[in-house]
Amino acid sequence: MNTKINDFVIRFANVNGSGSASANGMFAKALFRMGIPVATRNIFPSNIQGLPTWFEVRVSEQGYLGRREGVDIMVAMNAETFAEDIDSILPGGYLVYDNSKPLPRELVRSDVHEIGIPIATMMLPEFADPKQRSLFKNITYLGALAGLLNIEFDVITGMVATQYKGKDALIEPNIRALEIGRNYALEYLQAPLPLQVQRSDAVGNRIMIDGNDAAGLGSVYGGATVCAWYPITPSTSVAESFENHSKRLRIDKDTGHKNYAFMQSEDELAAIGIVIGAAWNGARSFTATSGPGISLMSEFFGLAYFAEIPAVVWDIQRSGPSTGMPTRTQQGDLIGAAYASHGDTKHPLLFPATPKECFDFAADALDLADRLQTPILVLSDLELGMNENLSDPLEWDDSRRYDRGKVLSAEQLDGLETFGRYLDVDGDGVGYRTLPGTHPDKGAFFTRGTSRDEYAAYTESPDAYQRNMERLQLKWQTARGLVPKAEINGRGGRVGVLYYGTTSLPIPEALDKLAVSGIHLDTCRVRAFPFGEEVEAFVADHDLIFVVEQNRDGQMRTLLVNELQTDPAKLIPILYFAGLSISADFIDAQISEYYEEHKLARLTEVTS
Amino acid sequence: MTFVSKPRVHHPNLPTNELGLTRRDYEGSVSTLCAGCGHDSVSAAIVQACAELSLPPHRFAKVSGIGCSSKTPSYFLNRSHGFNSVHGRMPSVATGANLANRDLMCVGVSGDGDSASIGLGQFAHVVRRRTNMLYLVDNNGTYGLTKGQFSATNDKGSTSKKGVPNLYEPIDLVSMALQLGASFVARSFSGDKAQLVPLIKAALKHKGMAFIDVISPCVAFNNHGGSTKSFEFVREHSSSVVDADLIFGQPEITADYAEGTQENIAMPDGSTLQLYKIDANYDPHDRIGAMTYVQKMQEQGQVATGLLYVDPEALECHDIMETTARPLNELTEETLCPGSEVLESINQSYR
Ligand SMILES: Cc1ncc(C[n+]2csc(CCOP(=O)(O)OP(=O)(O)O)c2C)c(N)n1
Ligand code: SF4
Ligand SMILES: [Mg+2]
């Protein structure tokens, strides 16, 4: 059998709360440290202990980071899901399991290689404590995999040493459990397997980080001083990351006091209220939530839109309502977020696709919110937020200054004849604001919703209302030019593909697959809403555009039709919404099928 | 309609405070509330308190929810910024404002609908967080702005203007504030300047969560015989009638009574509010005692007024959180951004 190097999908089936996460994480990290590109995916239940959970690692020398269909190696450690786990192995794949108990005959598959390891039996004499036994089971299969897949053993043992630094008593038994597994594989199994890993330099200088962590860190760098939030998966770790990094990076050396405020509020209504109150009073502030929180915050979004208060909101999207599939990924909040709230409201959205972009957008969103004096919603998702992924290293330009937008100082107010909070002085729809307490007798105004004139005086005049609404529309045009531009690639073809956020992950692989069958697509990765001129041009310049997204209703497509008056017929929806992340195989199949059905011309590559 | 601020013509005879400012420098725009509305008296009391304390009139953050009461921050302290936010959510906006700049005086005004119904959760949580602010409820036992529906502070058995009795238990914000950890809790009556102004002054000077429940009759909707928040009700339930300048209809309703005495105030709706002013023997440092006292008085159909509880030593939210003494909104890149070198080592930790 041919040896396949650095190219497989391995899935670990575990029981939630059994301590498998750290062993599985170490597996992925070990390959990463060997320079091999990996993408990790947690598929976990909305539960703390006892339900099935899966961890998938895609190993790809080419650097394909999207999900791939099918499993090559299944590490089946959960009796409850044993049958379906075995079912999901591709023909010719491997089943790694604990054969301390025999495999039920009806589950045996002739097209799958069985690799039985008597883990429980081996643990029995080694660890007296049953808790330890079940914990070290995970480490033991990790050791066995090291042997089976040819993982450099000192990479793993080195990780154990750093992970348990300070808790030295844990290092020795961990190493022992690793060795038990590895020795068994080397002595009793055909190791290494034809599927194996090999040190590579494909990772380059990239780091491995999840999007939420990067977002929290980016908010620290971007100068957020107030974070108010209410726990909800999969967004919680954004706030936690902000706090963790702030605890190290934002403590006053002399006093030990915090140069930030971190407040877990009573609910999302309060979280956004705190953010808006703080931003009104001049602090950079943000919150992180998911769909249900966005629903609750909607009234405040309307107020902030009309009262023109900056706010940054991270929406780490997940599927459906809280009793649906809260721990599955989706891009289902676009329309809800874009037009959230009462009255004529719309909000700029940012769509990060990588952890680095989460970091960058965290700081950019704070700038944009201040510049545009409006809530900015950053739409990430569970896939990006909670899975450790390869990312370009994070960068910060030390010469960068925070853009606090149009805020008048006491000196500037002194130099002004008149001050009108909502006067469009610069013709960009954005007025000048003042912060409370700035000047003894100039610049104070009363913030309310829409019943006000250019000088923030109370009025219910129809003209004043309409003027204000038109100015807000002008501000929206200004936003178009300020939000991150789409990433466009192509060679002037007639057919394109448009995508955003984590849908971008499988795109390079999908394009490679399509190219093999003569389908070449220009690409447009949308990074923000409102759509810039470049998106408008891309849509105009192509006869047909596949809009790939992870929701049922084609929400990005709806926004394109609605905002750009695009002919819906030329926007072909490619929709995946089953809760896992979209795969290249799916995109390839859907687009190929469309080509097939509509007999679209394909190109065969001519190399000159 | 556009409302213009009152002309700032300085009356030569108006007394000036330590800052050389007169009471007019603490006023706001012309009120658009009904003539005689208790809320306007509360605004006037705030103006007087701030002027007498010689506080810089531009160093406030005024925050409110939605309701007639929540409109009032534009009727006092015109030199300070105000924020008429969302119904029931003043506490969170105030929390944020206070987090951003702890040097500003934070004054939150709310209504009984705003705080005891839609905003009860936020009320509870801002109190337990001990945000450093004056939290003032203009309590009229009704939804003024939406035209007279019952509010949750209405006593059981009281009737609405349409004669419908309230079937449910009332929520007493004072009792809740005591239980939830407010370090300053008081109750007063909008018409009793002699009591209200000193209470507001004490609350403004207090560091921490200062809550004042001000019974503030609605002359338009809760001013009939069946309401226990009406002027008449108060007057009739008074045992020792002190000189009170109580006028029905539009003019402001006031009360002036001595410590340790009861004042029955006739509410605009014909009912009477029984106020009992706590006396010098009352110990305002005993939280449990205060809770019992308030409940006992309530049992007797009396409303205890005055400073019910104060703990001058209690920590406020910033102390609890250990935030820097500098206003967060003044921190710049130098303090906030760790820079590229640190980021490089962070990158390394993710390899
Ligand atoms: C979300 C929401 N629901 C309902 C309303 C309508 N509303 C405006 S004011 C108000 C009641 C105000 O009562 P209260 O707080 O007691 O103030 P008052 O007018 O009595 O001073 C209501 C229900 C609103 N503005 N927002
Ligand atoms: S309706 Fe009642 S609460 Fe509102 S302004 Fe009139 S008197 Fe005051
Ligand atoms: Mg009311």
Side-chain angles (χ1 to χ4, degrees):
Chain A
M1 200 176 171
N2 281 345
T3 311
K4 225 171 155 190
I5 305 291
N6 295 350
D7 183 16
F8 58 88
V9 170
I10 181 168
R11 184 183 273 198
F12 301 83
N14 300 96
V15 176
N16 207 16
S18 66
S20 54
S22 97
N24 297 347
M26 269 162 53
F27 173 85
K29 196 71 176 256
L31 303 197
F32 165 78
R33 289 208 172 149
M34 288 173 64
I36 308 160
V38 287
T40 70
R41 284 180 180 85
N42 264 302
I43 303 153
F44 60 97
S46 178
N47 151 286
I48 303 304
Q49 201 199 349
L51 286 186
T53 167
W54 293 271
F55 180 73
E56 194 174 280
V57 183
R58 173 151 193 205
V59 181
S60 165
E61 179 74 18
Q62 286 116 303
Y64 292 149
L65 301 178
R67 191 172 66 84
R68 201 208 69 191
E69 307 282 346
V71 174
D72 300 303
I73 305 168
M74 171 61 75
V75 183
M77 293 294 147
N78 184 357
E80 207 185 312
T81 60
F82 215 53
E84 64 175 286
D85 289 337
I86 292 175
D87 238 22
S88 65
I89 304 170
L90 289 174
Y94 298 83
L95 167 69
V96 178
Y97 72 108
D98 186 348
N99 65 355
S100 304
K101 279 188 205 147
L103 187 66
R105 290 216 63 85
E106 68 275 14
L107 295 181
V108 172
R109 259 179 71 179
S110 58
D111 59 344
V112 161
H113 306 276
E114 275 171 35
I115 304 177
I117 306 167
I119 301 178
T121 312
M122 292 193 296
M123 292 294 95
L124 213 52
E126 293 288 337
F127 301 102
D129 178 6
K131 257 211 214 118
Q132 277 206 338
R133 274 207 294 274
S134 90
L135 205 64
F136 286 120
K137 263 166 89 168
N138 304 310
I139 301 296
T140 304
Y141 70 65
L142 179 60
L145 287 172
L148 287 167
L149 299 175
N150 226 0
I151 303 172
E152 292 172 15
F153 200 58
D154 52 353
V155 172
I156 299 187
T157 52
M159 265 177 348
V160 170
T162 34
Q163 185 164 341
Y164 296 108
K165 210 168 164 184
K167 299 182 217 158
D168 290 1
L170 285 173
I171 298 179
E172 191 270 333
N174 267 288
I175 303 273
R176 190 148 49 96
L178 281 171
E179 276 168 351
I180 293 169
R182 179 165 178 263
N183 292 342
Y184 185 88
L186 297 182
E187 268 175 54
Y188 300 102
L189 303 170
Q190 260 207 328
L193 300 176
L195 274 189
Q196 52 184 261
V197 299
Q198 203 173 80
R199 188 165 273 279
S200 161
D201 54 11
V203 163
N205 71 343
R206 281 182 284 183
I207 61 172
M208 198 158 137
I209 186 172
D210 66 61
N212 285 355
D213 197 358
L217 183 59
S219 307
V220 173
Y221 269 78
T225 50
V226 175
C227 169
W229 63 292
Y230 187 75
I232 180 169
T233 306
S235 74
T236 301
S237 50
V238 175
E240 286 171 346
S241 157
F242 177 78
E243 191 194 24
N244 288 339
H245 292 295
S246 294
K247 269 187 191 158
R248 285 184 300 114
L249 304 170
R250 284 279 193 80
I251 302 296
D252 187 278
K253 278 190 211 69
D254 302 326
T255 60
H257 288 162
K258 295 171 183 159
N259 288 319
Y260 65 98
F262 183 71
M263 186 166 275
Q264 182 185 324
S265 58
E266 61 269 31
D267 55 27
E268 287 88 348
L269 298 169
I272 188 68
I274 291 168
V275 165
I276 287 170
W280 169 75
N281 207 359
R284 295 203 135 180
S285 42
F286 78 101
T287 185
T289 188
S290 191
I294 293 293
S295 302
L296 284 179
M297 292 178 183
S298 289
E299 187 187 13
F300 258 121
F301 292 156
L303 175 76
Y305 174 81
F306 289 114
E308 299 183 64
I309 314 245
V312 171
V313 179
W314 282 79
D315 175 7
I316 315 301
Q317 299 165 96
R318 64 184 208 184
S319 316
S322 300
T323 50
M325 298 212 291
T327 54
R328 303 289 193 273
T329 195
Q330 202 165 73
Q331 297 178 312
D333 295 347
L334 264 71
I335 292 180
Y339 303 122
S341 209
H342 45 281
D344 284 319
T345 50
K346 37 193 175 180
H347 315 286
L349 313 177
L350 307 185
F351 307 110
T354 63
K356 172 153 195 305
E357 220 162 42
C358 287
F359 178 85
D360 293 342
F361 282 6
D364 294 347
L366 289 161
D367 279 356
L368 281 168
D370 270 343
R371 171 65 34 198
L372 292 165
Q373 303 172 1
T374 201
I376 305 289
L377 282 74
V378 191
L379 266 61
S380 172
D381 57 21
L382 184 148
E383 159 89 348
L384 174 59
M386 287 188 72
N387 294 316
E388 279 195 287
N389 244 316
L390 284 192
S391 167
D392 285 334
L394 310 178
E395 288 167 19
W396 187 263
D397 174 0
D398 289 324
S399 67
R400 176 173 177 165
R401 300 287 94 181
Y402 299 150
D403 179 4
R404 299 306 317 263
K406 301 181 187 179
V407 181
L408 295 173
S409 65
E411 297 71 49
Q412 287 170 313
L413 278 168
D414 274 330
L416 280 183
E417 285 278 293
T418 49
F419 164 67
R421 165 65 183 97
Y422 301 107
L423 267 184
D424 185 9
V425 178
D426 303 325
D428 58 0
V430 186
Y432 284 79
R433 64 181 191 130
T434 54
L435 301 182
T438 301
H439 193 284
D441 49 21
K442 281 182 151 180
F445 66 97
F446 198 67
T447 303
R448 45 167 82 78
T450 42
S451 46
R452 50 125 199 272
D453 66 11
E454 286 79 352
Y455 297 90
Y458 187 87
T459 174
E460 292 177 19
S461 139
D463 284 350
Y465 178 82
Q466 190 164 334
R467 282 201 307 276
N468 186 51
M469 294 306 286
E470 280 162 4
R471 182 182 53 78
L472 287 170
Q473 187 64 13
L474 179 62
K475 179 160 107 171
W476 186 250
Q477 292 305 318
T478 302
R480 279 189 85 188
L482 291 179
V483 296
K485 294 245 167 308
E487 225 175 58
I488 292 174
N489 280 302
R491 30 173 153 180
R494 303 312 307 156
V495 186
V497 58
L498 183 149
Y499 50 91
Y500 58 98
T502 53
T503 303
S504 320
L505 257 72
I507 289 290
E509 184 182 6
L511 293 176
D512 288 353
K513 282 173 180 281
L514 288 163
V516 172
S517 55
I519 298 173
H520 298 273
L521 304 172
D522 293 349
T523 63
C524 174
R525 178 166 77 88
V526 172
R527 301 202 303 158
F529 175 79
F531 306 116
E533 281 168 10
E534 73 289 357
V535 177
E536 194 162 11
F538 182 87
V539 171
D541 292 348
H542 291 86
D543 301 334
L544 203 66
I545 297 166
F546 295 99
V547 183
V548 190
E549 45 188 325
Q550 298 173 78
N551 57 58
R552 185 197 64 185
D553 294 340
Q555 299 193 20
M556 172 61 78
R557 181 174 173 275
T558 302
L559 290 180
L560 289 165
V561 170
N562 196 38
E563 297 287 322
L564 301 177
Q565 307 302 313
T566 311
D567 174 7
K570 70 189 249 184
L571 301 179
I572 313 302
I574 303 289
L575 305 172
Y576 175 85
F577 47 92
L580 302 175
S581 44
I582 191 169
S583 68
D585 309 83
F586 177 85
I587 299 168
D588 172 38
Q590 296 281 308
I591 294 181
S592 299
E593 193 181 301
Y594 188 92
Y595 265 71
E596 205 64 44
E597 257 175 42
H598 295 81
K599 312 245 170 310
L600 293 185
R602 300 173 187 232
L603 278 186
T604 28
E605 196 75 28
V606 189
T607 32
S608 51
Chain B
M1 43 187 169
T2 304
F3 296 98
V4 285
S5 347
K6 290 174 192 167
R8 230 180 263 292
V9 190
H10 278 225
H11 201 285
N13 298 330
L14 279 179
T16 54
N17 65 13
E18 286 166 25
L19 300 176
L21 301 172
T22 73
R23 196 182 292 183
R24 309 234 48 186
D25 295 305
Y26 291 83
E27 287 177 346
S29 316
V30 176
S31 170
T32 63
L33 302 183
C34 306
C37 174
H39 302 355
D40 278 337
S41 315
V42 182
S43 299
I46 295 174
V47 167
Q48 189 181 335
C50 295
E52 287 178 10
L53 285 176
S54 296
L55 296 168
H58 69 293
R59 299 290 293 169
F60 288 79
K62 305 175 291 178
V63 191
S64 60
I66 297 290
C68 297
S69 35
S70 293
K71 289 182 174 200
T72 65
S74 71
Y75 313 142
F76 58 85
L77 295 169
N78 235 2
R79 300 192 188 181
S80 278
H81 285 60
F83 193 173
N84 197 179
S85 66
V86 175
H87 194 21
R89 317 298 171 205
M90 177 278 279
S92 60
V93 177
T95 299
N98 178 257
L99 289 180
N101 186 351
R102 61 189 294 179
D103 285 353
L104 294 184
M105 291 248 159
C106 188
V107 175
V109 181
S110 176
D112 44 325
D114 205 55
S115 280
S117 289
I118 191 168
L120 191 63
Q122 295 218 339
F123 165 77
H125 285 274
V126 79
V127 170
R128 69 181 270 273
R129 281 195 294 264
R130 294 188 165 156
T131 302
N132 183 13
M133 68 182 290
L134 163 59
Y135 190 134
L136 201 149
V137 169
D138 291 343
N139 185 355
N140 55 10
T142 191
Y143 287 6
L145 196 57
T146 49
K147 299 191 187 269
Q149 298 82 4
F150 273 131
S151 94
T153 63
N154 236 294
D155 293 316
K156 197 168 165 182
S158 63
T159 54
S160 75
K161 199 169 192 176
K162 289 180 185 149
V164 186
N166 174 31
L167 304 176
Y168 307 106
E169 294 297 323
I171 288 174
D172 180 31
L173 292 173
V174 157
S175 299
M176 285 189 73
L178 285 168
Q179 197 256 312
L180 292 164
S183 48
F184 180 110
V185 181
R187 174 141 48 204
S188 190
F189 179 61
S190 60
D192 185 1
K193 275 219 164 90
Q195 184 188 49
L196 182 55
V197 172
L199 281 178
I200 293 176
K201 284 161 81 172
L204 287 170
K205 284 201 284 192
H206 178 76
K207 191 173 123 238
M209 167 49 68
F211 176 72
I212 310 182
D213 179 33
V214 187
I215 295 168
S216 170
C218 169
V219 295
F221 299 111
N222 208 1
N223 205 14
H224 51 88
S227 166
T228 51
K229 297 272 186 303
S230 69
F231 292 111
E232 265 181 14
F233 182 90
V234 185
R235 171 143 286 186
E236 260 168 38
H237 287 68
S238 168
S239 57
S240 63
V241 180
V242 199
D243 258 4
D245 173 18
L246 175 66
I247 308 150
F248 281 95
Q250 309 309 346
E252 167 188 13
I253 297 153
T254 61
D256 184 3
Y257 58 116
E259 278 180 0
T261 63
Q262 182 171 304
E263 164 80 333
N264 288 358
I265 305 218
M267 301 297 265
D269 57 3
S271 66
T272 306
L273 178 66
Q274 250 190 58
L275 299 180
Y276 183 82
K277 199 173 279 187
I278 52 180
D279 60 30
N281 296 328
Y282 178 87
D283 175 15
H285 301 289
D286 175 5
R287 195 165 69 94
I288 308 295
M291 288 165 73
T292 316
Y293 181 76
V294 168
Q295 299 287 324
K296 272 202 178 130
M297 294 296 279
Q298 211 145 290
E299 186 88 356
Q300 298 165 20
Q302 284 180 316
V303 183
T305 67
L307 176 58
L308 296 162
Y309 176 67
V310 64
D311 175 6
E313 307 296 316
L315 295 182
E316 59 115 334
C317 190
H318 277 285
D319 300 331
I320 297 167
M321 293 174 73
E322 298 179 328
T323 37
T324 175
R326 286 172 64 195
L328 289 175
N329 70 355
E330 286 175 11
L331 304 181
T332 58
E333 289 88 350
E334 285 62 47
T335 318
L336 299 178
C337 186
S340 63
E341 214 169 287
V342 172
L343 192 56
E344 204 26 70
S345 69
I346 293 175
N347 276 328
Q348 201 45 42
S349 71
Y350 288 107
R351 287 197 174 109

